[in-house]
Amino acid sequence: MSENFVIRKVAVLGAGVMGAQIAAHLVNANVETLLFELPAKEGDKNGNVNKALDGLRKLEPAPAASPARLTFIQPANYEQHLEKLRECDLVIEAIAERIDWKSDLYHKVAPYLGEQTIFATNTSGLSINKLAAAFPENLRHRFCGIHFFNPPRYMHLVELIPCTGTEASLLDQLEEFLVSTLGKGVVRAKDTPNFIANRIGSFSLLATMHHARAFNLGFEVVDALTGRYLGRPKSATFRTLDVVGLDVFAHVVNTMRENLTDDSWHRHFELPDWMNRLVDQGALGQKTKKGIYQKIGKEIRVLDLHTEEYRLSDGEADYAVKEILRERDWAKKLAALRASQHPQAKFLWATFRDVFHYCALQLENIAGNARDLDLAVRWGFGWDTGPFEIWQAAGWQQVAGWISADIAADKAMSDVPLPAWATDPARTGVHTAQGSYAPADNSYQPRSALPVYRRQLFPDRLLGEPVQYGETVFETDDIRMWHSGDDIAIMSFKSKMHAISNDVLDGMLRGIAEAEAHFKALIIWQTEAPFSAGAHLLQLMQGVQESAAAPAGLLDKFKGAANRVKYTIAGGGGLGEIVNAAAGNVPRVEDVVAKFQQVSQRLRYAQVPTIAAVYGLALGGGCEFSIHCTRIVASLETYIGLVEVGVGVLPAGGGCKEMASRAAHEARGGDIFPHLKRYFQQIAMGEVAKSAEMAREMGYLKQSDRIVLNQYELLHVAKEEARALTATAYRPPLQPRQIPVAGRPGIATLKAAMVNMLEGGFISEHDYDIGCRIAETMCGGDVEAGSMVDEQWLLDLERKNFMELLATDKTRARVEYMLKNGKPLRN
């Protein structure tokens, strides 16, 4: 293929669940996209594809970054629009998993493909070579498999599978497109049934079901054991099956049974009778509102295999087993599970053992190296840590010995011994600084050298791969400033959930001064998500106690509550690390709020450009820092908002001031109120943008801010943006002296709207009080409409209303509830 070949236009064939969502993600990435479906028998020939597009608007989680994105998908049908395929650089086939149907479609569309068009099938497990045999022979060099995971917008993994004759350059170009344009993590798989992720993930589910039955554990008990305690999704095992669809899982298992007859575990590739019955009854899980679980009102019921009836889901993990699972050291955790006599612990060890065993035996057959297997499972099934990573972390030789002993004792699901490479006495793992182990040639393979990966300064790291985040400028317990050998400084928070404490604020002020003195730009970038969950609530309440002489024991209650909360994403703040400040050392709340405002203003008016590189949550103070930077470079999956109302206060780190100022700017001398009203509603309702695209629509991102599809390219793009700004002899903006405000009439209008909501029971009296104070702040206080104020006037109003709200019992109750429960209280 031509070295200058660029994928500009894509056609998706098939507007089913996957095809339509792939099309949606393509337009998320600004790729011109056609979506094909069979012509409707009556009316508009595009009726079928239009129906699919209507369905996309109702899907949750939303496949499109913004509902407006869906209007860019061009509907097409096979009767009228085949000629349009000639314009497409990539065609993705995503119809039903039937080789005969796919073959018919290939022969229909092949005459209309362009000379360099890549044709890729989105099969989840059918043989790519068998499908290629159904494709015209003269075009097979441009044929391959491209396996997106559901839902395509959110699942990072795409498996890329060549057929025998696929051009190597085609795969390279397609990988670069998938990684940088669509933001995906690409793993190249061998042409084996179900490829890598589904092969290992499905075996893990089958092994889990096998041992759950052997140890007589209920579905909800298994889910309590196999979710977040193991670093896996909260949906764990059986809830995941309900979400995926029992019929879909049945298809995957059937593919394994029919095509893996020589697999040593073949006898286990069977669905249990109870699952077959559910599928036959049409109880397929979440999509039919009934599967392994059934939700009736707010009540969750689970299938009882003994009675074959649904009962309340009330099983849970044993306390002693939970204590084992809380151990972070995998060596200690697996040793304790193996040594325990409790059925739940024995179940967990047996499942780990058989998954490790299966991965070791199948690695050479399905993947190029151990890295590809681990990343496929992590990205495709949502595991925090891949199977080989866990094995290596737990001590390779120790675990290999345990597995071999269990095989010899006939405890394992297969009696086939571990491969020789896995039992090599010199082996300490499969991931090293030089690369990951590849059994085919007994080598360690480094990461891909494709140019696109140079944009990932810090790719998703595996255990055993060393990482060094640059050279330290200064470091405290809560924040680190560093650089990577250039003239761009980077600030990274170290607090839990990157919560913003008084010490973080001090570090930020120091860092901005360092950047102005010794660097050309400053980037705020976290080594892992989130960007920041906001203000440090516990420290806030400590400050309240110190300021207001709260009753003895209250601080201890807050500390105890904090210890029970893992994290929080609402109410304007993460919990952060618990502050062990002695009495008298807790900063006064108003001083901290003033410092918060000072940091925001310093970010805005620093003598060097400031870039917020945002991924994940950017709530409350995290949002305020972002919107005050010179630029935001945001991953598509950025969830940003001013959510302080959740804990009974208002944004006081410059958030209200900034949005009022933006409303005035957008009015361009006209009526401010329509612009202000939108921002007021967002703040008063605590609305969070569900993507960076929606954040732009909501006004948190400006048109000059950047959206990046791949979060691992975020720092690279932020640096490029910083260089572009410094290349033009950067000067900070001049501070506005005159900001027109809506004044008393604006406040009155907003209050009137809130009275209607209060009388209708939509908000509480305290919500009304908070809303009134937000209105007062954003409208500039007790002044005439059109009055001119400066930024400090608005900041003073923010601080005043924040402190007055914090003095109320109901706001303190909201903060305490958030600390205890990790979710907001409406009182």
Tab-separated table of all heavy atoms in Angstrom, residues 604-655:
chain	number	residue	atom	x	y	z
A	604	ARG	N	-4.258	31.206	35.644
A	604	ARG	CA	-4.749	32.024	34.539
A	604	ARG	C	-3.712	33.054	34.100
A	604	ARG	O	-3.514	33.267	32.894
A	604	ARG	CB	-6.040	32.720	34.990
A	604	ARG	CG	-6.563	33.842	34.059
A	604	ARG	CD	-6.889	33.379	32.640
A	604	ARG	NE	-7.752	32.221	32.625
A	604	ARG	CZ	-9.076	32.262	32.809
A	604	ARG	NH1	-9.687	33.403	33.006
A	604	ARG	NH2	-9.780	31.150	32.775
A	605	TYR	N	-3.051	33.699	35.051
A	605	TYR	CA	-2.216	34.851	34.711
A	605	TYR	C	-0.718	34.583	34.885
A	605	TYR	O	0.075	35.520	34.948
A	605	TYR	CB	-2.643	36.060	35.549
A	605	TYR	CG	-4.074	36.454	35.268
A	605	TYR	CD1	-5.073	36.248	36.227
A	605	TYR	CD2	-4.447	36.968	34.031
A	605	TYR	CE1	-6.401	36.584	35.961
A	605	TYR	CE2	-5.768	37.297	33.747
A	605	TYR	CZ	-6.734	37.098	34.719
A	605	TYR	OH	-8.048	37.422	34.442
A	606	ALA	N	-0.327	33.316	34.903
A	606	ALA	CA	1.097	32.969	34.989
A	606	ALA	C	1.841	33.504	33.776
A	606	ALA	O	1.266	33.671	32.686
A	606	ALA	CB	1.257	31.457	35.085
A	607	GLN	N	3.131	33.762	33.949
A	607	GLN	CA	3.937	34.298	32.855
A	607	GLN	C	4.313	33.241	31.817
A	607	GLN	O	4.915	33.556	30.792
A	607	GLN	CB	5.210	34.929	33.429
A	607	GLN	CG	4.956	36.164	34.273
A	607	GLN	CD	4.223	37.255	33.492
A	607	GLN	OE1	4.681	37.631	32.406
A	607	GLN	NE2	3.130	37.758	34.032
A	608	VAL	N	3.964	31.988	32.102
A	608	VAL	CA	4.160	30.900	31.133
A	608	VAL	C	2.800	30.245	30.899
A	608	VAL	O	1.914	30.295	31.758
A	608	VAL	CB	5.161	29.842	31.663
A	608	VAL	CG1	6.550	30.447	31.806
A	608	VAL	CG2	4.685	29.240	32.974
A	609	PRO	N	2.587	29.650	29.714
A	609	PRO	CA	1.304	28.987	29.488
A	609	PRO	C	1.128	27.791	30.432
A	609	PRO	O	2.070	27.068	30.733
A	609	PRO	CB	1.389	28.528	28.028
A	609	PRO	CG	2.837	28.530	27.692
A	609	PRO	CD	3.472	29.582	28.541
A	610	THR	N	-0.109	27.604	30.890
A	610	THR	CA	-0.448	26.484	31.777
A	610	THR	C	-1.435	25.579	31.044
A	610	THR	O	-2.405	26.048	30.457
A	610	THR	CB	-1.054	26.992	33.091
A	610	THR	OG1	-2.199	27.812	32.805
A	610	THR	CG2	-0.044	27.797	33.885
A	611	ILE	N	-1.166	24.276	31.082
A	611	ILE	CA	-1.983	23.306	30.358
A	611	ILE	C	-2.527	22.288	31.350
A	611	ILE	O	-1.759	21.682	32.109
A	611	ILE	CB	-1.160	22.546	29.293
A	611	ILE	CG1	-0.256	23.486	28.498
A	611	ILE	CG2	-2.074	21.726	28.392
A	611	ILE	CD1	-0.964	24.412	27.567
A	612	ALA	N	-3.822	22.083	31.357
A	612	ALA	CA	-4.429	21.010	32.144
A	612	ALA	C	-4.627	19.815	31.221
A	612	ALA	O	-5.401	19.889	30.264
A	612	ALA	CB	-5.763	21.457	32.740
A	613	ALA	N	-3.915	18.719	31.482
A	613	ALA	CA	-4.050	17.486	30.696
A	613	ALA	C	-4.989	16.571	31.476
A	613	ALA	O	-4.594	15.954	32.458
A	613	ALA	CB	-2.700	16.835	30.485
A	614	VAL	N	-6.238	16.501	31.026
A	614	VAL	CA	-7.310	15.941	31.858
A	614	VAL	C	-7.796	14.608	31.312
A	614	VAL	O	-8.100	14.481	30.119
A	614	VAL	CB	-8.492	16.929	31.940
A	614	VAL	CG1	-9.551	16.421	32.910
A	614	VAL	CG2	-8.009	18.315	32.361
A	615	TYR	N	-7.889	13.620	32.216
A	615	TYR	CA	-8.480	12.329	31.884
A	615	TYR	C	-9.261	11.840	33.087
A	615	TYR	O	-8.796	11.942	34.218
A	615	TYR	CB	-7.403	11.303	31.509
A	615	TYR	CG	-7.933	9.890	31.374
A	615	TYR	CD1	-8.935	9.593	30.466
A	615	TYR	CD2	-7.441	8.858	32.167
A	615	TYR	CE1	-9.422	8.301	30.347
A	615	TYR	CE2	-7.918	7.559	32.041
A	615	TYR	CZ	-8.917	7.287	31.135
A	615	TYR	OH	-9.419	6.015	31.012
A	616	GLY	N	-10.472	11.327	32.846
A	616	GLY	CA	-11.292	10.842	33.949
A	616	GLY	C	-12.006	11.987	34.634
A	616	GLY	O	-12.395	12.978	34.013
A	617	LEU	N	-12.180	11.861	35.935
A	617	LEU	CA	-12.940	12.854	36.696
A	617	LEU	C	-12.151	14.142	36.877
A	617	LEU	O	-10.972	14.122	37.221
A	617	LEU	CB	-13.289	12.301	38.077
A	617	LEU	CG	-14.112	11.013	38.121
A	617	LEU	CD1	-14.212	10.514	39.556
A	617	LEU	CD2	-15.496	11.254	37.551
A	618	ALA	N	-12.836	15.256	36.656
A	618	ALA	CA	-12.297	16.569	36.986
A	618	ALA	C	-13.457	17.326	37.626
A	618	ALA	O	-14.179	18.066	36.972
A	618	ALA	CB	-11.775	17.296	35.757
A	619	LEU	N	-13.650	17.083	38.917
A	619	LEU	CA	-14.834	17.587	39.608
A	619	LEU	C	-14.471	18.692	40.587
A	619	LEU	O	-13.368	18.713	41.137
A	619	LEU	CB	-15.514	16.444	40.373
A	619	LEU	CG	-15.948	15.235	39.545
A	619	LEU	CD1	-16.585	14.178	40.435
A	619	LEU	CD2	-16.903	15.650	38.434
A	620	GLY	N	-15.425	19.597	40.808
A	620	GLY	CA	-15.229	20.647	41.790
A	620	GLY	C	-13.951	21.420	41.550
A	620	GLY	O	-13.744	22.048	40.509
A	621	GLY	N	-13.041	21.358	42.535
A	621	GLY	CA	-11.771	22.071	42.418
A	621	GLY	C	-10.945	21.610	41.240
A	621	GLY	O	-10.193	22.395	40.653
A	622	GLY	N	-11.056	20.324	40.869
A	622	GLY	CA	-10.344	19.839	39.690
A	622	GLY	C	-10.829	20.520	38.431
A	622	GLY	O	-10.045	20.827	37.525
A	623	CYS	N	-12.125	20.756	38.357
A	623	CYS	CA	-12.701	21.496	37.234
A	623	CYS	C	-12.243	22.953	37.266
A	623	CYS	O	-11.869	23.523	36.235
A	623	CYS	CB	-14.229	21.400	37.294
A	623	CYS	SG	-15.092	22.399	36.063
A	624	GLU	N	-12.235	23.543	38.460
A	624	GLU	CA	-11.847	24.961	38.574
A	624	GLU	C	-10.402	25.182	38.141
A	624	GLU	O	-10.103	26.156	37.439
A	624	GLU	CB	-12.072	25.430	40.012
A	624	GLU	CG	-13.560	25.572	40.341
A	624	GLU	CD	-13.827	25.900	41.790
A	624	GLU	OE1	-13.405	25.129	42.675
A	624	GLU	OE2	-14.483	26.926	42.061
A	625	PHE	N	-9.507	24.301	38.556
A	625	PHE	CA	-8.121	24.425	38.096
A	625	PHE	C	-8.051	24.341	36.575
A	625	PHE	O	-7.355	25.111	35.913
A	625	PHE	CB	-7.267	23.311	38.698
A	625	PHE	CG	-6.805	23.578	40.107
A	625	PHE	CD1	-6.032	22.640	40.776
A	625	PHE	CD2	-7.118	24.751	40.758
A	625	PHE	CE1	-5.583	22.868	42.068
A	625	PHE	CE2	-6.692	24.994	42.062
A	625	PHE	CZ	-5.916	24.049	42.717
A	626	SER	N	-8.795	23.384	36.002
A	626	SER	CA	-8.741	23.161	34.556
A	626	SER	C	-9.187	24.394	33.780
A	626	SER	O	-8.532	24.817	32.829
A	626	SER	CB	-9.613	21.965	34.169
A	626	SER	OG	-9.195	20.794	34.819
A	627	ILE	N	-10.336	24.944	34.161
A	627	ILE	CA	-10.918	26.040	33.382
A	627	ILE	C	-10.131	27.338	33.539
A	627	ILE	O	-10.346	28.286	32.775
A	627	ILE	CB	-12.405	26.266	33.706
A	627	ILE	CG1	-12.612	26.639	35.171
A	627	ILE	CG2	-13.222	25.030	33.340
A	627	ILE	CD1	-14.066	26.888	35.556
A	628	HIS	N	-9.213	27.386	34.503
A	628	HIS	CA	-8.376	28.575	34.642
A	628	HIS	C	-7.052	28.445	33.894
A	628	HIS	O	-6.318	29.435	33.777
A	628	HIS	CB	-8.113	28.874	36.120
A	628	HIS	CG	-9.254	29.583	36.790
A	628	HIS	ND1	-10.327	28.911	37.334
A	628	HIS	CD2	-9.499	30.908	36.970
A	628	HIS	CE1	-11.176	29.788	37.842
A	628	HIS	NE2	-10.709	31.002	37.628
A	629	CYS	N	-6.727	27.259	33.401
A	629	CYS	CA	-5.479	27.103	32.655
A	629	CYS	C	-5.588	27.741	31.275
A	629	CYS	O	-6.684	27.945	30.743
A	629	CYS	CB	-5.144	25.616	32.519
A	629	CYS	SG	-4.510	24.872	34.047
A	630	THR	N	-4.427	28.017	30.697
A	630	THR	CA	-4.394	28.597	29.351
A	630	THR	C	-5.103	27.699	28.351
A	630	THR	O	-5.823	28.173	27.471
A	630	THR	CB	-2.942	28.805	28.902
A	630	THR	OG1	-2.194	29.427	29.945
A	630	THR	CG2	-2.875	29.647	27.636
A	631	ARG	N	-4.858	26.386	28.469
A	631	ARG	CA	-5.492	25.404	27.596
A	631	ARG	C	-5.861	24.171	28.415
A	631	ARG	O	-5.184	23.827	29.383
A	631	ARG	CB	-4.539	24.938	26.480
A	631	ARG	CG	-4.262	25.933	25.397
A	631	ARG	CD	-5.419	26.070	24.410
A	631	ARG	NE	-5.013	26.902	23.286
A	631	ARG	CZ	-5.032	28.219	23.285
A	631	ARG	NH1	-5.420	28.870	24.378
A	631	ARG	NH2	-4.653	28.901	22.218
A	632	ILE	N	-6.924	23.514	27.958
A	632	ILE	CA	-7.237	22.172	28.436
A	632	ILE	C	-6.981	21.219	27.281
A	632	ILE	O	-7.412	21.467	26.160
A	632	ILE	CB	-8.705	22.047	28.894
A	632	ILE	CG1	-8.993	22.950	30.097
A	632	ILE	CG2	-9.049	20.602	29.236
A	632	ILE	CD1	-10.461	22.970	30.517
A	633	VAL	N	-6.239	20.159	27.553
A	633	VAL	CA	-6.123	19.045	26.615
A	633	VAL	C	-6.797	17.874	27.311
A	633	VAL	O	-6.294	17.370	28.320
A	633	VAL	CB	-4.654	18.725	26.275
A	633	VAL	CG1	-4.574	17.504	25.369
A	633	VAL	CG2	-3.996	19.919	25.611
A	634	ALA	N	-7.942	17.463	26.808
A	634	ALA	CA	-8.771	16.489	27.518
A	634	ALA	C	-8.931	15.211	26.723
A	634	ALA	O	-9.158	15.238	25.511
A	634	ALA	CB	-10.152	17.087	27.811
A	635	SER	N	-8.826	14.088	27.404
A	635	SER	CA	-9.205	12.816	26.795
A	635	SER	C	-10.707	12.846	26.545
A	635	SER	O	-11.468	13.502	27.278
A	635	SER	CB	-8.849	11.672	27.736
A	635	SER	OG	-9.517	10.487	27.358
A	636	LEU	N	-11.157	12.115	25.522
A	636	LEU	CA	-12.596	12.054	25.253
A	636	LEU	C	-13.355	11.627	26.498
A	636	LEU	O	-14.420	12.163	26.804
A	636	LEU	CB	-12.882	11.078	24.108
A	636	LEU	CG	-14.357	10.968	23.702
A	636	LEU	CD1	-14.817	12.245	23.001
A	636	LEU	CD2	-14.585	9.757	22.800
A	637	GLU	N	-12.797	10.650	27.238
A	637	GLU	CA	-13.472	10.166	28.449
A	637	GLU	C	-13.078	11.012	29.648
A	637	GLU	O	-12.486	10.545	30.616
A	637	GLU	CB	-13.159	8.691	28.674
A	637	GLU	CG	-13.604	7.786	27.531
A	637	GLU	CD	-15.058	8.017	27.092
A	637	GLU	OE1	-15.897	8.322	27.953
A	637	GLU	OE2	-15.348	7.889	25.896
A	638	THR	N	-13.428	12.285	29.574
A	638	THR	CA	-13.246	13.227	30.668
A	638	THR	C	-14.626	13.616	31.185
A	638	THR	O	-15.513	13.957	30.397
A	638	THR	CB	-12.485	14.478	30.194
A	638	THR	OG1	-11.138	14.113	29.899
A	638	THR	CG2	-12.479	15.563	31.253
A	639	TYR	N	-14.778	13.563	32.491
A	639	TYR	CA	-16.079	13.849	33.110
A	639	TYR	C	-15.867	15.031	34.060
A	639	TYR	O	-15.351	14.881	35.161
A	639	TYR	CB	-16.598	12.608	33.834
A	639	TYR	CG	-16.496	11.370	32.967
A	639	TYR	CD1	-15.587	10.367	33.238
A	639	TYR	CD2	-17.286	11.241	31.820
A	639	TYR	CE1	-15.469	9.253	32.415
A	639	TYR	CE2	-17.173	10.141	30.985
A	639	TYR	CZ	-16.262	9.148	31.299
A	639	TYR	OH	-16.143	8.052	30.477
A	640	ILE	N	-16.273	16.195	33.579
A	640	ILE	CA	-15.919	17.442	34.245
A	640	ILE	C	-17.183	18.182	34.693
A	640	ILE	O	-18.199	18.160	34.003
A	640	ILE	CB	-15.062	18.314	33.289
A	640	ILE	CG1	-14.494	19.539	34.003
A	640	ILE	CG2	-15.823	18.718	32.046
A	640	ILE	CD1	-13.434	20.275	33.186
A	641	GLY	N	-17.111	18.813	35.861
A	641	GLY	CA	-18.264	19.572	36.328
A	641	GLY	C	-18.013	20.228	37.674
A	641	GLY	O	-17.132	19.816	38.444
A	642	LEU	N	-18.787	21.251	37.946
A	642	LEU	CA	-18.760	21.950	39.234
A	642	LEU	C	-19.892	21.369	40.082
A	642	LEU	O	-21.055	21.728	39.903
A	642	LEU	CB	-18.927	23.458	39.025
A	642	LEU	CG	-17.786	24.105	38.223
A	642	LEU	CD1	-18.134	25.535	37.807
A	642	LEU	CD2	-16.483	24.093	39.039
A	643	VAL	N	-19.540	20.465	40.982
A	643	VAL	CA	-20.546	19.639	41.669
A	643	VAL	C	-20.637	19.935	43.162
A	643	VAL	O	-21.151	19.128	43.934
A	643	VAL	CB	-20.242	18.148	41.448
A	643	VAL	CG1	-20.387	17.771	39.987
A	643	VAL	CG2	-18.825	17.803	41.933
A	644	GLU	N	-20.168	21.109	43.580
A	644	GLU	CA	-20.094	21.418	45.012
A	644	GLU	C	-21.443	21.391	45.711
A	644	GLU	O	-21.508	21.175	46.934
A	644	GLU	CB	-19.434	22.792	45.205
A	644	GLU	CG	-17.926	22.798	45.007
A	644	GLU	CD	-17.490	22.899	43.552
A	644	GLU	OE1	-18.348	22.822	42.651
A	644	GLU	OE2	-16.283	23.059	43.312
A	645	VAL	N	-22.535	21.602	44.978
A	645	VAL	CA	-23.852	21.577	45.625
A	645	VAL	C	-24.113	20.239	46.302
A	645	VAL	O	-24.901	20.159	47.243
A	645	VAL	CB	-24.995	21.879	44.616
A	645	VAL	CG1	-24.903	23.297	44.116
A	645	VAL	CG2	-24.991	20.883	43.469
A	646	GLY	N	-23.433	19.184	45.840
A	646	GLY	CA	-23.617	17.869	46.441
A	646	GLY	C	-23.216	17.824	47.895
A	646	GLY	O	-23.702	16.979	48.650
A	647	VAL	N	-22.311	18.706	48.321
A	647	VAL	CA	-21.960	18.799	49.737
A	647	VAL	C	-22.419	20.128	50.335
A	647	VAL	O	-21.909	20.576	51.365
A	647	VAL	CB	-20.445	18.597	49.962
A	647	VAL	CG1	-20.076	17.147	49.803
A	647	VAL	CG2	-19.624	19.471	49.052
A	648	GLY	N	-23.381	20.760	49.677
A	648	GLY	CA	-24.047	21.902	50.287
A	648	GLY	C	-23.320	23.223	50.205
A	648	GLY	O	-23.630	24.145	50.974
A	649	VAL	N	-22.349	23.350	49.288
A	649	VAL	CA	-21.662	24.629	49.121
A	649	VAL	C	-21.714	25.025	47.649
A	649	VAL	O	-22.386	24.378	46.841
A	649	VAL	CB	-20.200	24.554	49.626
A	649	VAL	CG1	-20.154	24.378	51.128
A	649	VAL	CG2	-19.440	23.428	48.934
A	650	LEU	N	-21.003	26.086	47.321
A	650	LEU	CA	-20.917	26.503	45.915
A	650	LEU	C	-19.465	26.524	45.489
A	650	LEU	O	-18.563	26.503	46.329
A	650	LEU	CB	-21.579	27.868	45.712
A	650	LEU	CG	-21.210	29.059	46.625
A	650	LEU	CD1	-19.819	29.569	46.337
A	650	LEU	CD2	-22.208	30.189	46.423
A	651	PRO	N	-19.194	26.531	44.190
A	651	PRO	CA	-17.802	26.604	43.730
A	651	PRO	C	-17.164	27.902	44.221
A	651	PRO	O	-17.683	28.986	43.948
A	651	PRO	CB	-17.922	26.586	42.206
A	651	PRO	CG	-19.264	25.976	41.932
A	651	PRO	CD	-20.138	26.416	43.057
A	652	ALA	N	-16.051	27.779	44.951
A	652	ALA	CA	-15.423	28.974	45.516
A	652	ALA	C	-13.936	29.034	45.206
A	652	ALA	O	-13.206	29.799	45.832
A	652	ALA	CB	-15.649	29.023	47.033
A	653	GLY	N	-13.502	28.220	44.239
A	653	GLY	CA	-12.115	28.293	43.798
A	653	GLY	C	-12.006	29.063	42.492
A	653	GLY	O	-11.078	28.848	41.713
A	654	GLY	N	-12.979	29.933	42.263
A	654	GLY	CA	-13.004	30.713	41.025
A	654	GLY	C	-13.997	30.195	40.014
A	654	GLY	O	-14.154	30.781	38.937
A	655	GLY	N	-14.714	29.110	40.325
A	655	GLY	CA	-15.638	28.509	39.364
A	655	GLY	C	-16.809	29.401	39.018
A	655	GLY	O	-17.154	29.572	37.837
